[in-house]
Amino acid sequence: MNFKTTLVLVVLVAAVGGYFLFVERGRDRGPAAVEVSEDGQTLLGEASPERDAVRQVAVRRGDEAVVLFRDSDAWWQVEPVRFGVRSESARQIVERTLGLTWRERFLPGESADDDRPTLAEVGLDTPRAELTLTADATSWTVLLGRRMVDGQAYVQLAGDERIYIVDDGLHRAVLDETIRDWRRRQLEAPRAARAERVVHEHDGQTIELTKQDGRWYLDADDETLRSRASESRVDALVEAVRSLTISSFVADARDGLSTYGVDEPTTRVAVHTPDVGDGGRSYVLRIGAAADLSEREHYATWSVDEEMSPVVFTVERRGVDRLAVVHDELRDPRIVTTRPSDVSEVYIERADEPALHLVRDPDVGYRFGEDGPAYGADYTAASELIDAIARTEAVSYETGFEPTSEPRATVTLLRRGGREEQVQLFEDPGPELIDDDSEVNAAATYLAVREDERVAYRVSAEGLASVFAPLVAYRDMQLMNVRADDVAGVTLTRDDGAEFVFTRDEEGEWQLEGHASFERRAFDGLLAALRPLRAERWLDASAEHGEGFGWAVLTVERADGSPTVLHVDVSARQGAMADEAIGFELPRSFVDRLRDEYRPRTVLSLRAGEIEQIRRELPDDETLTLRRTSGGQYLSDGDTAVREQPAAALFDTLSSLRVWRYIDEPDDREDEPERQYVIERTEGDDYVVELWRLSDGVTAGRVGDRWFQMDGQTMDALYDSLLEDEEPVAYEEPEDVPMQVPVGDDTK
């Protein structure tokens, strides 16, 4: 590096150092010219107000003047236009102004030759911004000058000639953002709970929603259109307004709103609050033209009074689409609004049936009214009726409905506290066309009309079928409800010749007469079915029934000596009490208990290793002998290969043979069994299991003098092929036979 280059660098360093020394930090003013704050004194000093006392902030930047005002806890831009401001933005300006501490202060120089910076040099001859706080009729104005490169800035307090050096946080808040950055991006609309009226205009249609006595109504002033509005759907409409997010602010166009189509909006939603609390305000959203060719955004305005706001912004199309609703979408589709739990009485007048009157009773659940039948009411049926009425909703609507006939039914619900709700059901005069091309089947719908409306609700007839059910459908379905300890005896007689008589011994244990043991699990299932035994439905008293009753007769004797006798037609699942003519339909689970086998089902019970071999004998003297080795392999009496799995199943089945049910010796069997198994034991007599084909093709079994039928799993094992070249033999079983009977639990 030569001497000239070195000299140039020295001059440059001196110039930069001089710039920072005399321009950025001011010229050397001497100790007496500069006052330094050692403890961080605030700019406003002791007169500084509390943050919450500040009600107004005015900001002027060049030709732009903005005034912010705090109303309660919300900040608003009030000049030159009115629009909501984000509270955090306004609070930040207030807090940074009140918390502004100065580091140095000095009087400005009078000229460029002065050793102190002039107002022009620090940017305060024409301030970058002028900020005024107002609290309790007192104002403080701060002038913002130039910022320095080291995070500091110049300010001046109105009425004070001195220049202050402060942190540049206030400069960033005021100069780096515009009023559009401070404005709220969410529309501050009240919730529907605070509103008294909502007016919706879209595509030339106007919908007016009015709250009366806490309930929303559509077109309350038009008798032909007035109907209940859905509270949840009104909430959804108002929430659709509240949830709109402003994408961007476009203009504050007082005279050019037509440019954006908001002067004649495609959609207008106004939410009005009552003249209490906030003084009765109107919050109005107007949706204008599409903001782009793709129509992904639309122009809009938002006003907190009826006068149209000049602030134009854009919102996304998906938010706008949520506002496009029609009358029927806002109606309450329910035919009644009373909750089932609030119903104390239901009274139904019916054209083709006697009137139905049900009263909620704390002791029995429901009972019939004084003019009702003598028997008790069924709680479940009554509850399901009220639930059906409460959950019925319209599939379409008929406005201005004028009935041309008497109602098929009039439903009156009495609520707790005495209030009534009434709805009438009329024949649907249709067919009608709804939803453009879908035809409603008139036979499948009713028109429901509330007492104070002329809008008919088209509802499903199937869902209200219980309204027209006969009185007996609401009779108490409980036929019997006895605890096991209260039962002294049970007798079951069937037309297959079986009779099971259960009694208790001296110790209270159950025993089956004529048998040392019985199927305890099956008997426990029968007792459980009586706790309680409920009918599935009562049969019409005029229907022909009873001739088949008697397939099974169940007599339950209570400890007090009173018997209950039930006659059952198992095939029809219908029954009747011995002292009543009217019948009922029984649940399949109970009827199956009447068909169970209660005698010990285990016919053979052999210990492991007790079987020496099993000989299968078929017609024409065809014989196959199988034995099981100690290693668990199965061998035949010749060299023929044996199928291991079927052979194992056969040994397991015959060593513990359980039957489905016992039968009388059949008269229609063939002359000889179609196969038999001879079980040769290591000790004792052999057992022989015979399989007989009956005339109807069903197979019966016999061991000794006991005849029986077997379940599907047992039959599979006895008829499976044991050799590789054999085919399984087809067999038939009774229609109601199970695949597998329960595991053995013979017990006394």
Side-chain angles (χ1 to χ4, degrees), residues 143-157:
L143 308 178
L144 277 62
R146 186 169 54 80
R147 281 187 276 187
M148 292 184 279
V149 296
D150 58 353
Q152 299 184 92
Y154 297 104
V155 299
Q156 199 170 31
L157 189 62

Side-chain angles (χ1 to χ4, degrees), residues 7 27 193 245 267 303 310 413 422 447 463 539 543 566 577 592 630-631 646 674 708:
L7 182 60
R27 297 183 179 86
T245 299
T267 301
S303 309
L413 300 181
Q422 188 177 91
L447 292 178
L539 303 177
L566 175 65
M577 293 298 185
D592 287 344
S630 58
E674 67 173 344
F708 47 81

Side-chain angles (χ1 to χ4, degrees), residues 38-268:
E38 299 294 344
D39 54 357
Q41 299 179 47
T42 61
L43 179 68
L44 301 187
E46 295 181 356
S48 176
E50 295 292 331
R51 185 196 70 177
D52 292 342
V54 177
R55 300 295 301 275
Q56 181 172 294
V57 176
V59 179
R60 179 179 294 278
R61 290 178 292 205
D63 296 334
E64 179 190 42
V66 173
V67 178
L68 310 182
F69 183 79
R70 182 166 63 86
D71 183 0
S72 297
D73 292 329
W75 281 92
W76 294 84
Q77 177 190 356
V78 294
E79 293 292 343
V81 296
R82 180 178 175 83
F83 204 86
V85 173
R86 292 186 297 115
S87 295
E88 57 269 27
S89 296
R91 282 199 303 266
Q92 183 182 64
I93 295 172
V94 173
E95 289 172 356
R96 290 190 178 183
T97 303
L98 298 180
L100 203 60
T101 58
W102 57 272
R103 301 178 183 181
E104 298 179 9
R105 64 183 178 185
F106 52 87
L107 292 171
E110 297 179 358
S111 67
D113 297 330
D114 201 325
D115 61 354
R116 292 166 298 173
T118 64
L119 291 176
E121 289 177 325
V122 297
L124 285 169
D125 57 335
T126 304
R128 303 293 193 271
E130 182 178 309
L131 174 68
T132 301
L133 302 185
T134 301
D136 299 327
T138 303
S139 297
W140 295 263
T141 299
V142 180
L143 308 178
L144 277 62
R146 186 169 54 80
R147 281 187 276 187
M148 292 184 279
V149 296
D150 58 353
Q152 299 184 92
Y154 297 104
V155 299
Q156 199 170 31
L157 189 62
D160 185 348
E161 296 184 57
R162 291 168 294 186
I163 297 172
Y164 291 82
I165 297 178
V166 297
D167 182 85
D168 68 353
L170 181 60
H171 285 65
R172 293 197 303 272
V174 174
L175 299 177
D176 291 352
E177 294 183 344
T178 68
I179 182 59
R180 293 181 179 180
D181 298 314
W182 299 343
R183 287 174 178 165
R184 300 175 196 154
R185 296 289 174 143
Q186 299 294 135
L187 305 183
E188 297 293 325
R191 296 189 183 277
R194 287 183 50 213
E196 68 172 0
R197 192 163 61 96
V198 177
V199 180
H200 178 278
E201 300 173 13
H202 178 70
D203 285 347
Q205 179 192 48
T206 299
I207 304 173
E208 185 165 342
L209 296 153
T210 306
K211 186 184 291 182
Q212 296 178 352
D213 297 327
R215 178 172 292 169
W216 286 100
Y217 288 89
L218 276 159
D219 306 306
D221 298 330
D222 188 331
E223 290 186 0
T224 63
L225 295 177
R226 172 187 167 89
S227 65
R228 287 171 298 111
S230 166
E231 182 175 344
S232 62
R233 296 179 184 184
V234 176
D235 287 344
L237 174 61
V238 175
E239 286 303 311
V241 174
R242 289 170 48 84
S243 63
L244 277 177
T245 299
I246 296 173
S247 301
S248 62
F249 290 94
V250 178
D252 295 349
R254 286 189 179 276
D255 301 323
L257 292 176
S258 60
T259 304
Y260 307 100
V262 292
D263 57 333
E264 296 182 0
T266 58
T267 301
R268 179 183 179 274

